Amino acid sequence: MTTTKNSLSAALRGANSVLRFLLELAALASLGVWGYQATSILAAQLLLAIAAPLAAAVLWGAFIAPRAPIVLPAAGRTALEVVVFGSATLALVALGEPVLATVLAALAVVNIVLLTVWGQWAAARAALVRPPVGASPAARRRAA
């Protein structure tokens, strides 16, 4: 029974990680489509279609991703996640897609809560911790 429970828990956690990745892609796509539709001037369309998702991706990579070079406390990271997913949700509303916006927002909230409750953020960061260059061989073995 315990093995079945553990394997189910691992499967759910894995599914939550996949959901996270898909939500990230959906947010970037939403921002890109919104950027293109926001104006009728071609140069502005192209600029916004590139700049909006690029800004979100840079923010994500710098502060939110497990390998982010700048580690924020949980509250700060969550606030930035709300900014990214909130922007994507508003972009979908502006595009006339309130149902998709609601689905994206609801899934993002559930995902953030599960990542926190299941400790997936802490586990992802801990898995990436490496000893500094020049560390002793014993320290390198412990980190591996």
Side-chain angles (χ1 to χ4, degrees):
M1 177 76 173
T2 302
T3 304
T4 303
K5 184 177 178 182
N6 288 342
S7 62
L8 177 61
S9 175
L12 289 173
R13 289 171 194 242
N16 195 46
S17 295
V18 170
L19 174 62
R20 176 47 148 229
F21 179 67
L22 295 175
L23 287 169
E24 293 168 20
L25 293 179
L28 294 175
S30 300
L31 291 168
V33 172
W34 168 82
Y36 189 79
Q37 298 289 327
T39 181
S40 60
I41 301 168
L42 181 60
Q45 286 177 319
L46 296 175
L47 179 67
L48 286 172
I50 294 168
L54 181 62
V58 167
L59 183 68
W60 196 275
F63 300 103
I64 302 171
R67 293 181 188 254
I70 302 167
V71 180
L72 296 176
R77 185 190 66 242
T78 301
L80 289 179
E81 289 175 293
V82 169
V83 168
V84 171
F85 288 126
S87 297
T89 299
L90 291 175
L92 287 171
V93 170
L95 289 167
E97 297 292 346
V99 173
L100 286 178
T102 302
V103 170
L104 177 69
L107 288 175
V109 167
V110 168
N111 181 257
I112 291 168
V113 168
L114 290 177
L115 284 169
T116 303
V117 169
W118 286 340
Q120 287 180 285
W121 276 116
R125 290 295 299 187
L128 297 172
V129 173
R130 297 284 181 243
V133 175
S136 69
R140 290 195 172 283
R141 283 191 297 276
R142 283 191 303 269

